[in-house]
């Protein structure tokens, strides 16, 4: 995804400045944003030419000639979603916005049809015991349970590969030989796989202290029992644009109280809410971390992600939440495993 700093305009800018930006850039487009980085519209050479024909001059403001309803994609759109939108509208670039309409980048359609390899590392936590899925996990590690026609872990790897993230490390423990034997060095899946053996349970973050080669750029961490259609490239760009030290993917979760809730003060009833629904954001088990985060993780100790985030927050370092809108399922119990198999072919 392209950086947009060189193609940004404000409503108060002149047509002359817009021409300079468009002519100097390879994308032939400018994005018009407000002070909060929210997208107001786009501007192309064609928009400017039409404005000049209407009598506007080079010193006129761009505010009356911008295209105010551009086609955009959101950070939760998959590569297929973006490509479909672009082809339908016959456009070569499409701005990417978050769920508050803030611009995080711009995607060129040529990039979507031409695979590119990214250098960000992917760390997969696949050492869990899967006790809640017994008896299925008595002989098979949970990430190797089949959903559809392949192991859960294979689908995860293929989704990362789809976005060009091929450098994968697996943190293994329980029945690790089955995982190693199936994936080997990853070449038959188009990726490169290294393994870290957890001699003891290390938690969702502790195994990061065992990395032989420390990442030099932001890297992904993901639990090995999750099925999702997340756009990993958008997560990477979102982490960067928010200048975040640690980014956590979050999922909205709602819980309905099965009773009427009575709000009281002292002995007086203030109100009654009938079966209210409470909404929360929960961790989705997918993270983007900057290399500096590794300094917070103790060596060879159990350490989980919530503890890591608490430590970073306590030190007033910047963290970010990446809300998931796309398909996501944590296969932790038998009910979710059955649901995953029912939905797999429709989603993937």
């Amino acid at each position: 995804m392209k950086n947009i700093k060189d193609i940004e305009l404000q409503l108060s800018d002149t047509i002359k400045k817009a021409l300079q930006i468009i002519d100097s850039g390879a994308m032939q487009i400018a994005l018009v944003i407000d002070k909060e980085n929210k997208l107001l519209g786009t501007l192309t050479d064609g928009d400017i030419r039409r404005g000049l024909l209407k009598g506007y001059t080079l010193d006129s403001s761009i505010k009356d000639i911008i295209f105010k309803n551009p086609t955009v994609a959101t950070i939760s759109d998959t590569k297929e979603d973006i490509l479909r939108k672009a082809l339908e509208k016959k456009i070569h670039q499409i701005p990417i916005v978050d769920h508050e309409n803030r611009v995080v980048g711009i995607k060129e359609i040529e990039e979507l049809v031409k695979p590119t390899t990214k250098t960000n590392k992917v760390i997969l936590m696949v050492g869990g015991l899967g006790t809640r899925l017994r008896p299925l996990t008595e002989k098979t590690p949970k990430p190797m349970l089949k959903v559809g026609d392949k192991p859960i872990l294979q689908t995860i790897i293929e989704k990362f590969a789809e976005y060009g993230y091929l450098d994968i490390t697996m943190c293994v423990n329980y029945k690790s030989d089955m995982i190693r034997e199936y994936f080997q060095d990853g070449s038959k899946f188009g990726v490169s796989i290294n393994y870290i053996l957890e001699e003891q349970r290390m938690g969702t973050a502790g195994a990061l202290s065992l990395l032989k080669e420390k990442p030099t750029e932001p890297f992904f961490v993901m639990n090995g029992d999750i099925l999702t259609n997340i756009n990993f490239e958008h997560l990477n760009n979102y982490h960067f644009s928010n200048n975040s030290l640690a980014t956590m993917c979050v999922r909205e979760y709602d819980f309905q109280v099965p009773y009427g809730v009575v709000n009281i003060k002292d002995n007086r009833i203030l109100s009654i809410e009938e079966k209210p629904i409470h909404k929360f954001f929960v961790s989705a088990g997918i993270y983007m971390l900057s290399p500096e985060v590794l300094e917070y993780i103790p060596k060879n100790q159990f350490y989980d992600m919530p503890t890591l985030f608490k430590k970073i927050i306590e030190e007033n370092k910047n963290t970010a939440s990446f809300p998931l809108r796309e398909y996501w399922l944590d296969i932790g119990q038998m009910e979710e495993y059955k649901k995953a198999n029912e939905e797999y072919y429709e989603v993937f």
Side-chain angles (χ1 to χ4, degrees):
M1 191 146 45
K2 300 291 185 182
N3 196 328
I4 62 168
K5 294 301 180 184
D6 295 333
I7 58 170
E8 290 179 344
L9 288 170
Q10 303 286 325
L11 277 181
S12 57
D13 287 330
T14 64
I15 292 177
K16 182 178 181 179
K17 181 176 180 180
L19 275 173
Q20 292 172 342
I21 285 180
I22 292 173
D23 289 344
S24 63
M27 287 182 280
Q28 301 297 302
I29 192 173
L31 304 182
V32 185
I33 62 173
D34 64 14
K35 293 181 180 179
E36 296 180 346
N37 209 44
K38 293 184 178 181
L39 184 65
L40 301 177
T42 58
L43 199 59
T44 64
D45 179 75
D47 296 320
I48 292 176
R49 291 179 187 276
R50 285 186 286 272
L52 294 176
L53 289 174
K54 291 180 180 179
Y56 293 97
T57 70
L58 293 180
D59 294 322
S60 298
S61 165
I62 64 171
K63 66 178 182 179
D64 294 323
I65 66 168
I66 69 171
F67 182 55
K68 297 180 179 178
N69 296 297
T71 299
V72 300
T74 70
I75 55 176
S76 59
D77 284 336
T78 65
K79 183 185 294 187
E80 292 79 10
D81 293 332
I82 299 172
L83 186 59
R84 185 179 64 254
K85 289 181 181 181
L87 293 176
E88 287 176 354
K89 297 294 183 178
K90 297 181 180 180
I91 54 179
H92 296 286
Q93 309 94 359
I94 185 166
I96 309 297
V97 300
D98 65 15
H99 297 292
E100 295 182 3
N101 201 42
R102 292 183 300 234
V103 183
V104 298
I106 187 167
K107 175 67 72 175
E108 290 188 290
I109 303 311
E110 287 184 1
E111 291 182 351
L112 294 176
V113 296
K114 180 178 67 176
T116 56
T117 300
K118 316 296 196 311
T119 56
N120 306 80
K121 291 182 179 296
V122 176
I123 316 296
L124 299 178
M125 300 298 178
V126 295
L129 299 177
T131 53
R132 293 178 297 170
L133 279 171
R134 288 178 178 170
L136 297 180
T137 53
E138 288 178 353
K139 295 183 178 180
T140 304
K142 181 165 60 170
M144 294 301 294
L145 293 178
K146 284 193 174 183
V147 173
D149 60 349
K150 63 187 69 173
I152 301 167
L153 189 52
Q154 182 176 339
T155 297
I156 293 174
I157 290 172
E158 289 174 349
K159 293 303 290 184
F160 273 108
E162 180 182 324
Y163 289 97
Y165 299 105
L166 310 180
D167 186 355
I168 294 174
T169 296
M170 294 187 189
C171 299
V172 297
N173 178 265
Y174 179 65
K175 296 190 179 298
S176 61
D177 55 326
M178 293 185 65
I179 297 175
R180 288 175 182 265
E181 184 179 347
Y182 187 87
F183 290 101
Q184 300 180 29
D185 65 357
S187 56
K188 67 179 180 179
F189 301 97
V191 300
S192 174
I193 299 178
N194 295 301
Y195 300 90
I196 291 177
L197 178 61
E198 300 179 35
E199 300 289 350
Q200 59 187 10
R201 296 198 63 197
M202 302 289 290
T204 50
L208 298 177
S209 70
L210 304 178
L211 290 174
K212 297 176 182 177
E213 293 185 11
K214 304 301 183 185
T216 58
E217 58 188 333
F219 59 96
F220 298 91
V221 179
M222 180 172 172
N223 297 343
D225 57 358
I226 293 171
L227 285 180
T228 179
N229 255 345
I230 181 177
N231 188 319
F232 291 110
E233 189 174 1
H234 287 177
L235 171 57
N236 188 358
N237 201 70
Y238 185 86
H239 176 84
F240 175 80
S241 64
N242 281 277
N243 193 29
S244 176
L245 192 65
T247 298
M248 176 188 293
C249 292
V250 295
R251 186 77 172 181
E252 190 174 86
Y253 176 82
D254 57 62
F255 170 75
Q256 184 170 25
V257 179
Y259 309 103
V261 174
V262 181
N263 298 310
I264 62 175
K265 183 177 182 181
D266 298 327
N267 67 340
R268 182 184 176 191
I269 296 176
L270 300 179
S271 64
I272 300 175
E273 298 178 71
E274 186 61 32
K275 298 180 180 179
I277 296 175
H278 296 280
K279 294 187 177 182
F280 310 90
F281 280 106
V282 299
S283 172
I286 308 168
Y287 314 89
M288 191 96 198
L289 306 177
S290 293
E292 300 92 316
V293 164
L294 296 174
E295 300 172 7
Y296 293 85
I297 302 173
K299 298 289 185 181
N300 298 312
Q301 294 182 30
F302 183 93
Y303 203 73
D304 60 21
M305 278 294 180
T307 303
L308 175 61
F309 272 80
K310 287 177 184 176
K311 182 64 174 177
I312 297 172
I313 294 168
E314 286 172 359
E315 296 198 7
N316 293 318
K317 302 294 184 179
N318 192 30
T319 59
S321 60
F322 183 89
L324 288 182
R325 307 292 184 187
E326 50 272 90
Y327 183 85
W328 175 89
L329 185 62
D330 179 0
I331 306 174
Q333 302 188 54
M334 196 65 69
E335 182 180 344
E336 285 92 1
Y337 181 65
K338 292 178 180 178
K339 182 178 181 182
N341 275 288
E342 291 169 357
E343 299 175 342
Y344 184 83
Y345 289 107
E346 178 183 350
V347 176
F348 296 94

